[in-house]
Amino acid sequence: MRIFSRPGIWILVALSLLLVVHGFSADRGLNVSVTTPLGENLELYDESYALVVGNGTYTGGWNDLPGALIDARDIARVLEKNGFTVILKTDLTVAAFNKVFSQFALKYGANENNRLLFYYAGHGHTETMANGGELGYLVMIDAPLPEDDRVEFVMNSVDMESVVTKARLIRARHVLFMFDSCFSGTILNVRSRTVPSYISDTAKYPVRQFITAGRANEPVPDRSIFKEAFLDLLEGRVREPIPDGYVTGEELGYYLQATVPKYSDKQHPQYGKIRDIKLDKGNFIFKLNKDIVKRQKKNIIMEDWNLALFNNTEESYQRFITHYQDEPLAAQEVSTGHEKIKQLKALTAMKQKQAQRIASIEEAWTRTRAANKQAHYEEFINKFQNEHLAASYVEEARTELEKLLKAEEILQKNEIMAAWEEVQKSDQPEKYDHFINKYEQAPLAQNEVAAARKKKTAIQRDLELFRKNKEKQEIEQTWQKVREIDNRETYQEFIRKNKNNPLAQGHVLLAQSRREEIINQEKTRNITAAWQEASNAQTEEALEKFIASYENNYLATVQVNEARNLLQNMIANQKAIREEAQKKKREQEKKRQQEIQDAWSQALNEDTSEAYIGFMKKYNEDAFATPQILKAEYRLGELKKQKEIRTIQNQWAQVQKSSSDDQIRKFIQQYVSNYLAQKEVAQAREMLQQRSLQLKEQEQQRLFREKQEQERLLKEKQEQQKVVEKAWRETVNRDKQETYQNFTNLYRNHPFAAEKITLARNRIAELVQIKLKQDITEEWKTLHESTSPQQVQRFVEKYEGNALAENELMKARQLFAKLSQKERDKKRFTMKLDEVSKAYYYKDIRINVRAKGPDVQLRLYYKSRKNPAYISLPMKLKKKGKYTATIPKQHVSDHLYYYVEAVDETGAVFQEGNKKKPFQITLRQEKRIDIPVVF
């Protein structure tokens, strides 16, 4: 399958482990050495070589890859800087590749103290084998697309099995293969990641390591992230996985596996070693440039220094100094660390002094707290108020002092409230004056004093208002009568009585106005007619009207005098009548007031809300009952307060019985702003605080017990772990299946041996696999000289699907194919196409094939320029050795291209022509005679 990058083809880059650097001759090879933990200098390699191949210009149908050529040159340049002698090759055919690779492996791989690196950049492809497995190919520039010609593709590509075979022939100790591409990694022995051992421990063992840029069929971009990550590590642009100045092949593989997917989530590099027990224990080694190592070492020092600064403890600085005291790069930080330790010691001494001072402050606070007196709290505050270490205690002392003062204020407040409640029972202003004179200098009674002043003023205002309302009612009644009479005399009388009363000035003005109107009317009458009418009428109104009209007229002097005498007599009679009416009215009002007073006395005797409410409903509209109504309203408020106080006291008693924190908090929340419940709220808060202290002490005791239990369990766990570790070391030293099995049986249910049990079972499985691998190898050694394909087939069937026998199965299949081919060659199939001499447009064309050999299935494939897709037809056997097929005339409209393909019973394919080089049929125009048609 092709790997596409963008709309084009994805790059396949294969890096193989052959350490070579272009630019250094053999006699100028760079030696690589490491320093062991004991300080010994160990020489690793005599010489280092690298073969770098970049295929970018393809001729067989694959897209060109200009990026592969650039990547190959970049790799060669960096490897030269790392001490490799580099051989750089580009755009290789399969023959050129095999030649270059063989020469490189045989010439530079003969010395076992050399290291070799192979790097390939180009197209890659994965094919599925007959057994269902996958095999990767390096695609050379002359290889066709596999879907066009699979045989030519296989012949012009390099399969990974051949690369592995040649890797086994190399005698150099360490070889690294790197492939910047995606194809199947079945050749790799991929293991779980382990902690790398020290370089000198693995440097002496041979190894063949492989790294690919991705899994099978994963897209690798034209701009190689894989290459960039590799070069970043070698050139020191990123921190090495283990900061020791060396990069092993294992570290490189794990680094690329972790780094590349961060920038391409569809690309997952693979790392592994060759599946050979003798070639998978070592580790390829790069030695980084001294400047790079120095720069990275300085970065590590700064990271550790920043960590010490972050912790800012004597222990952290001392650890840093101990670790880096002999390191020149850390001289400044070590000196600063000594200064930091001195500063921390000085700070510690200061903290000890502060602790002693705090102890003395706490002792003084304990004594003050035990005394719980105002004088003691004031003495403590005055003594320590400027001591910052005692700030919290001073604040608490002030809080307690405020509580004591507040309790004293509450007692004084209760006394004031009792006196105020007693005063409120009376409606006499004198009692309010006495309360005001007594408590007007008391700060806690300012609200009550102000209320008393308001209440006194309200009572006086109500009495004055009652008097004025009563007088206004009398004036209004008199005015209504005057309005009903509507004559000068009544108006004159009303004006006379009320002219000096400010409450009746409006009515007096109205009366004067009306009187003037009547006078003006009377002047127009005839004096004589008026008098006759007045004398005949013999009424007070007529006489008063006559007098008012003519008293200043000298012509009516006698009549006016007579009218006046008569009027006086009449007025005297009316006055006597009015006096009698007023007397009766006063008696009725007195009786009503007595009735109201009796009802109010009865309500006071009962002193219930119902009695006061009943009184107010009955006499609410009566002006004589206004003072009693006001008193009833005030008493109702007092009764409501008393009821609320009883409710608070009952509820607080229930809360005290329940002893529930939630109910106490609910009580405080409900009555915190109610001044009637301040005493109960204070008690609730104090109870809640005491219970909180008790719970805190219980929690501290519980935590102490839990800590002791955890320490005991930890000690037991450590003892059990020591026993398991000792048994495990003995088992590992013996390294036998029986000892691992005994360890598993003995510690199967042990709580601290689960990890070791898993390791033991894995090792048992590995030992079983090794034994099985040895049996397979021995059986293959006795079989590979066999000449019977049936015997080889039985071997394949026996181990089919067994990964340990994959190499032997591949060799067995090759041997089976070889032996089967020999048998088929005895009955070889051949065929030949008959030439198509004449072919005309829109005429059937017959294709004939002559064949020799066993019976086969033949198919004809043809296409035209207008229809570029091939059409398939089966060819029929007409007689022995002759097959034929006919191309229908509807398809014969343009020049035709065709080829024939045969498949025998074994699945072998034979072709006459192919898709890329088909046979061509040139069509002719058939001669015709046009006959005219007459209509």
Side-chain angles (χ1 to χ4, degrees), residues 16 156 236 285 312-313 344 403 523 660 673 779 795 922 927:
S16 303
N156 290 285
I285 299 171
N312 197 32
T313 62
L344 289 175
K403 289 181 179 178
K523 286 180 181 181
S660 171
S673 57
E779 185 174 351
F795 178 84
T922 302
K927 295 181 180 180

Side-chain angles (χ1 to χ4, degrees), residues 209-264:
Q209 292 169 291
F210 294 80
I211 303 174
T212 67
R215 303 175 186 147
N217 300 329
E218 281 187 341
V220 177
D222 186 41
R223 177 184 174 276
S224 177
I225 300 172
F226 179 87
K227 180 222 39 175
E228 294 294 338
F230 174 50
L231 296 186
D232 286 346
L233 184 60
L234 286 189
E235 293 185 308
R237 287 190 289 273
V238 295
R239 181 175 176 179
E240 55 179 314
I242 298 177
D244 55 4
Y246 303 94
V247 176
T248 65
E250 187 175 24
E251 292 174 10
L252 176 60
Y254 292 142
Y255 161 75
L256 292 173
Q257 281 182 331
T259 303
V260 173
K262 294 179 181 178
Y263 304 98
S264 176

Side-chain angles (χ1 to χ4, degrees), residues 135 172 239-240 244 336 483 502 507 533 664 811:
L135 181 61
R239 181 175 176 179
E240 55 179 314
D244 55 4
T336 306
R483 288 289 294 170
H507 295 84
E533 183 179 353
I664 294 173
K811 295 176 182 178

Side-chain angles (χ1 to χ4, degrees), residues 406-449:
K406 189 175 289 186
E408 185 178 349
E409 289 177 357
I410 290 173
L411 294 175
Q412 187 178 358
K413 184 70 174 179
N414 292 337
E415 178 185 351
I416 293 170
M417 292 303 298
W420 172 241
E421 290 175 359
E422 184 66 27
V423 169
Q424 286 179 316
K425 294 179 181 179
S426 172
D427 57 353
Q428 298 177 6
E430 295 78 12
K431 290 188 177 181
Y432 285 98
D433 285 334
H434 178 73
F435 179 87
I436 292 169
N437 295 330
K438 183 177 181 181
Y439 293 109
E440 65 182 352
Q441 301 300 326
L444 297 176
Q446 293 305 306
N447 293 335
E448 288 73 17
V449 169

Side-chain angles (χ1 to χ4, degrees), residues 112-130:
E112 68 177 11
N113 290 326
N114 288 350
R115 62 173 174 174
L116 304 182
L117 184 146
F118 174 74
Y119 172 94
Y120 171 81
H123 278 299
H125 184 70
T126 302
E127 282 285 316
T128 302
M129 299 184 294

Side-chain angles (χ1 to χ4, degrees), residues 57 60 62 270 303 515 637-638 641 729 741 750 765 774 776 871 904:
T57 307
W62 298 82
Q270 297 183 92
E303 289 177 3
R515 184 192 62 183
E638 292 298 317
K641 273 186 192 176
R729 285 194 297 272
Q741 189 62 49
H750 200 286
Q774 292 173 352
I776 293 171
I871 300 174
D904 65 8

